[in-house]
Amino acid sequence: MNKIFILLLFSFMLNLRVHAQGCVAIRSNGGTCIMMGPHINPHATTSGWSVGLNSRYFRSFRHFVGKEEQKQRQEAGTEVINHAFSTELGVTRFLNNRWSLSTFIPVISNTRSSLYEHDGKNRYNTHSFGIGDMRIAGYWWILDPSKVSKSNVQLGAGLKLATGDYRYSDYFHKTDSTKVLGPIDQSIQLGDGGTGITTEVNAFYHVTKSVSLYANGFYLINPREQNGVSTARGGTSSAASIAYGSDVMSVPDQYMVRAGGNVAAQQWMFSAGMRMECVPVKDLVGGSNGFRRPGYVLSVEPVVAYKIKSTQIYLSVPYAVQRNRTQSIPDKIRTRKTGVYAQGDAAFSDYSVNFGITCFIK
C-alpha cells in the first residue's frame, strides 16, 4: 500500500494526547490520532521520517454538575468561557518496519473570560501563551508486519515532560482600579507540573480493501500529587479550601479511548467512531488530592482526510453527546466533613475542531 498510510498511523496515533473540551484540565491537542490506522499496511515503511503539525480549537461555555447542565449560568450571564487553541509539532523517526521513535512539542494559546474570578460584576479575561508539556515515545508492532497485514496491534510507551509553565500568571481585576497578579485557572495553564509516563495501545482490522475497523487507547500516569500552585488567583486561600484540600492544584492522570471504522475512496478517507476523553477522580500511582475538575466527554467523531503524494491533510470535529463533571476528592472531603453533598461544576464545549498536515520524508 502507499507509504502515506503508514505515515498517517504514526503521525496521528503517536499524537494521541488528550484535551478535554473545557475546564476538565487535560493538556495539549488531542489530535486526530489513528484516524487512518485501520487502513495502514505497517510494512510499507521501514525507514525515514514524518513531520506533522496538528492543531485544535474549542470554546467551552456550558456548565455541568455531574451530567446535568447548569443552564441558569448562561441565562444569568455568569458562565465561564474558555477559548483554547494549540498547535503541536510531531516528528517521528521510523527505525524499521516495527519500531519508531517520536517527539511532540505543543504551542498553546488560551483565553479565559469570567466574572467570579475578578470583581464578580464585570467580565474580564486572563490569558496564557507558550510551550506546553513535551512528550517523547517509542512504538512497536506486536506482529511482524512483513508476515501479517490484515490486522495488527501496536504498543507505545514514553515520557511526558514538565516543560509547560504550570505557574503561568495574569492579572485579576478586584475593582475598577485594582488588579492582582496571580496564577491563572488550571484549565488554561500551559502544563501540569508533573513528569508522567504514557502508555498506548492501537489496533486495526481490515474488513475489506476499503473498509476497516480501529480501536486505540492512551493513558497518562502522573505520579506527582500536587504541583504547589495556589488556586487563590493572587489572593489568600480560604480556610475552607485548605481544610478540603482544594487550595493547591492537583497533577491528574488522563486517558482517552477511541473506536470506529474507516472507508477509503481513492485519495479520500472517511472515518466515524466514538471518542471518550477523561480526567479520573483518582490516579493510578500516587495521591489524588488537590484541586482538579474530574470528568469525561463522550463524543461522536467524524473525520475526513485527503492525501497528495506524501502529504496528508485532515479535519476532525468530535461532537459531545455526553458530558459529566464527577465528584473530586476535595468534594468528597467536604461532603464528609460538612454532612452536605458537594460537587463542583466544569465548563464544556459542544465540539472541538482538529486539523493538520503531515509529510513523509525519506
Side-chain angles (χ1 to χ4, degrees), residues 1 5-6 9-10 13 34-43 141-145 148-154 201-208 211-216 260-262:
M1 297 185 72
F5 292 132
I6 188 67
L9 177 59
F10 286 104
M13 189 57 239
I34 195 172
M35 298 306 176
M36 307 302 113
H39 286 292
I40 293 164
N41 183 353
H43 66 266
W141 290 103
I142 290 180
L143 304 177
D144 186 347
V148 180
S149 60
K150 186 178 179 65
S151 61
N152 212 334
V153 177
Q154 183 192 55
V201 59
N202 318 302
F204 69 89
Y205 177 79
H206 291 278
V207 179
T208 67
V211 177
S212 44
L213 305 175
Y214 67 86
N216 45 73
N262 289 338

Side-chain angles (χ1 to χ4, degrees), residues 192-194 222 224-227 249-253 283 292:
D192 60 23
N222 260 326
R224 187 178 186 183
E225 182 175 21
Q226 300 175 358
N227 61 20
M249 293 184 190
S250 174
V251 184
D253 286 3
D283 296 341
R292 73 173 71 181

